[in-house]
Amino acid sequence: MDDPTTVRNQRNQSAPETTRLNLPARMSDSSVYLENLPSRTMYINRLINSNYNSSPSRTIYSDRFIPSRSGSNFALFDISNSPTSAEGKEDGSGTYNSLLRAALFGPDTPDKKDSLGSPACRNIFRYKTETKRSLHSLSPFGLDESVPGIIHSPVKAPRKVPRSPYKVLDAPALQDDFYLNLVDWSSNNVLAVGLGNCVYLWNACSSKVTKLCDLGIDDSVCSVGWAQRGTHLAVGTSNGKVQIWDASRCRRIRTMEGHRLRVGALAWSSSLLSSGSRDKSILQRDIRAQDDFASKLSGHKSEVCGLKWSYDNRELASGGNDNKLFVWNQHSTQPVLKYCDHTAAVKAIAWSPHLHGLLASGGGTADRCIRFWNTTTNTHLSCMDTGSQVCNLVWSKNVNELVSTHGYSQNQIIVWRYPTMSKLATLTGHTYRVLYLAISPDGQTIVTGAGDETLRFWNVFPSPKSQNTDSEIGASSLGRTTIR
């Protein structure tokens, strides 16, 4: 019997040097034997170097053979494309197989089958199907309603905001003054409006108008603000005084002094009332105490025209004609946060009812921007240029949306979706700056006031999820009446 090693050595010596193989380091060429290697190498070279050209009448769709079974003619070659079990019985995975087959090949309908007489469809597999499928077909089950067992959720239509007010009230002597706040809506569904030297109350349920007070010829109303319970109304005057009225009895409870100039901004926090004045100061008043004010907040260098307490009553935001936005806490006499990014007066201020510490502010004619702040982390979140003077801001209580009113130059009302700040609606109708804004207690309706001496009521926000009936505000009849 021959030695295998001797035989391998003889074969390796007889092979020419040009046929040595490039083998891994762990494998010597003596362990591999190729018969007729030169002839095979020449044959492979002829295949590689051959100038292969396809027929000019044949369209080349791809350089890789990736068959598309959506246009395959299995019936032409007596091949079934529906897998069955060997016993011809449908097993437990039949439903899954039918769903998968429908998703991959499409429903077995005549209009999706290729014509057998077409010469372009003679191949069992083709590189490209002629039926264009949408991007939705890339999902496992597509969007075909005919596929059994699949429940498709309907696409929710975008909410439509009515572009016209459902009610208009004439408001004679409603002042065209950017720094005043003359409209507020109580939790008891009563609207307070300052007209000249008088304050009028409009009951949204009964449409009844009541004259609350008359300050006389030497004074005028500069601001109104409802207490949280909706029974008491604060009235700021041009003489620097603040009056507290019992709205149910139309009786003045007390008059508090402390400001030297007009009081254009008011904000309640339980029994604490904050008043901002043209004298640049903010006074904190406890109406239960005998003193006219408990503390004085100093920081603004010009008239205070915006005041809002946060929903948890822990932070007070103030805006002034000095283009500054300050945040105060319950015990500070100096601002704990200062924001100086606005380039015009800051009257529009709104705290988010959905996220703690989220504050929105708007600038005047030279600024036109709505800015968002996180007072918890003391960060500036975003900025939106609205193109017009921002007069007021209010947040929806029911959804994460807010509304802004504007002055120069478009006098528009815009409903925004937060945080994308995409516009849901732009409402027009006022011919003067929309200086005044208030929201109904159910959070669905807003009222806007302007120097055109009209109050307009708009349904802009959806109802709360727990509320199934229409609000009493929205059910009010159309028409135009006067508030006095």
Side-chain angles (χ1 to χ4, degrees):
M1 184 174 181
D2 293 336
D3 186 2
T5 305
T6 305
V7 174
R8 284 197 299 268
N9 291 337
Q10 292 176 356
R11 290 176 178 173
N12 290 337
Q13 291 176 2
S14 62
E17 283 296 320
T18 58
T19 61
R20 294 183 63 85
L21 301 179
N22 185 14
L23 300 176
R26 294 179 301 174
M27 185 176 182
S28 63
D29 56 355
S30 61
S31 61
V32 177
Y33 172 71
L34 295 177
E35 187 177 5
N36 297 326
L37 184 59
S39 60
R40 288 177 179 249
T41 303
M42 295 176 59
Y43 174 71
I44 294 174
N45 289 336
R46 284 199 303 271
L47 289 180
I48 294 177
N49 297 326
S50 62
N51 187 13
Y52 174 77
N53 293 324
S54 61
S55 173
S57 62
R58 182 175 180 180
T59 305
I60 299 177
Y61 293 101
S62 173
D63 59 348
R64 298 180 62 192
F65 185 75
I66 304 177
S68 173
R69 291 179 172 82
S70 61
S72 304
N73 293 322
F74 290 98
L76 185 64
F77 297 87
D78 294 328
I79 299 176
S80 174
N81 66 339
S82 58
T84 57
S85 61
E87 296 79 11
K89 298 181 181 180
E90 189 175 359
D91 56 14
S93 62
T95 304
Y96 170 78
N97 291 335
S98 62
L99 290 175
L100 183 60
R101 185 166 58 253
L104 294 176
F105 302 107
D108 190 16
T109 55
D111 57 337
K112 289 192 176 183
K113 293 182 179 180
D114 293 323
S115 174
L116 296 179
S118 174
C121 303
R122 302 300 296 177
N123 292 335
I124 184 171
F125 295 118
R126 287 182 298 165
Y127 294 103
K128 181 179 179 181
T129 178
E130 288 144 3
T131 304
K132 294 185 178 180
R133 306 179 70 180
S134 64
L135 292 177
H136 298 293
S137 64
L138 299 178
S139 63
F141 298 104
L143 294 178
D144 195 344
E145 298 294 339
S146 63
V147 178
I150 303 301
I151 301 176
H152 301 279
S153 59
V155 179
K156 187 177 181 181
R159 180 169 58 85
K160 293 184 179 180
V161 178
R163 302 306 173 95
S164 300
Y166 69 85
K167 192 175 188 64
V168 179
L169 294 178
D170 286 321
L174 185 60
Q175 298 186 55
D176 184 28
D177 193 327
F178 177 80
Y179 301 99
L180 306 185
N181 294 274
L182 297 176
V183 177
D184 197 21
W185 208 327
S186 78
S187 58
N188 290 336
N189 217 3
V190 177
L191 187 70
V193 184
L195 300 178
N197 52 8
C198 300
V199 176
Y200 291 87
L201 305 179
W202 179 77
N203 191 305
C205 298
S206 63
S207 296
K208 181 182 178 181
V209 178
T210 303
K211 184 178 180 179
L212 178 67
C213 65
D214 189 338
L215 303 181
I217 193 173
D218 296 330
D219 206 352
S220 62
V221 180
C222 296
S223 57
V224 294
W226 285 102
Q228 293 171 341
R229 292 185 178 180
T231 56
H232 291 80
L233 181 71
V235 179
T237 72
S238 59
N239 291 336
K241 299 178 181 180
V242 176
Q243 299 181 0
I244 307 297
W245 287 78
D246 185 343
S248 60
R249 301 179 182 179
C250 291
R251 187 180 69 176
R252 186 177 63 187
I253 297 176
R254 64 182 298 184
T255 300
M256 296 178 288
E257 300 182 354
H259 289 298
R260 295 179 290 104
L261 299 173
R262 70 181 184 183
V263 180
L266 296 168
W268 286 88
S269 172
S270 186
S271 59
L272 184 66
L273 174 63
S274 304
S275 60
S277 172
R278 201 172 197 173
D279 64 9
K280 311 172 188 177
S281 68
I282 301 171
L283 296 181
Q284 304 282 50
R285 312 173 186 269
D286 191 338
I287 62 174
R288 301 169 299 181
Q290 294 182 353
D291 297 335
D292 285 344
F293 61 92
S295 60
K296 182 177 181 179
L297 311 183
S298 301
H300 284 286
K301 304 301 182 183
S302 188
E303 179 173 8
V304 179
C305 52
L307 277 179
K308 285 290 170 62
W309 278 96
S310 61
Y311 281 88
D312 58 5
N313 294 325
R314 294 183 178 181
E315 294 179 304
L316 174 68
S318 65
N321 196 31
D322 55 0
N323 309 343
K324 301 295 191 297
L325 173 67
F326 294 157
V327 178
W328 320 71
N329 62 28
Q330 293 173 311
H331 309 290
S332 65
T333 56
Q334 294 293 322
V336 295
L337 298 176
K338 296 181 179 181
Y339 300 121
C340 307
D341 296 60
H342 286 290
T343 57
V346 182
K347 176 192 177 185
I349 299 173
W351 291 92
S352 171
H354 310 289
L355 184 62
H356 174 73
L358 177 58
L359 176 64
S361 61
T365 306
D367 184 83
R368 307 180 306 275
C369 291
I370 300 175
R371 296 180 182 272
F372 295 92
W373 319 85
N374 187 333
T375 61
T376 303
T377 59
N378 190 22
T379 54
H380 180 214
L381 300 177
S382 60
C383 176
M384 170 61 69
D385 190 341
T386 66
S388 296
Q389 175 190 42
V390 184
C391 302
N392 291 280
L393 288 168
V394 69
W395 225 290
S396 169
K397 304 172 185 178
N398 307 328
V399 290
N400 201 12
E401 299 171 3
L402 69 159
V403 64
S404 59
T405 68
H406 301 269
Y408 301 122
S409 59
Q410 301 180 41
N411 304 327
Q412 78 272 42
I413 304 162
I414 303 177
V415 183
W416 307 87
R417 179 182 286 113
Y418 187 82
T420 60
M421 288 305 286
S422 57
K423 292 183 181 180
L424 288 174
T426 300
L427 312 176
T428 57
H430 284 290
T431 56
Y432 280 67
R433 296 179 297 173
V434 189
L435 297 176
Y436 310 111
L437 172 67
I439 189 169
S440 63
D442 64 4
Q444 295 181 247
T445 304
I446 62 169
V447 59
T448 57
D452 57 11
E453 298 184 339
T454 63
L455 296 173
R456 298 171 185 265
F457 295 80
W458 317 77
N459 283 321
V460 296
F461 294 130
S463 62
K465 293 181 179 179
S466 59
Q467 180 176 339
N468 297 323
T469 59
D470 293 336
S471 69
E472 295 175 346
I473 304 301
S476 301
S477 60
L478 293 172
R480 181 160 180 161
T481 58
T482 182
I483 201 171
R484 70 174 188 181

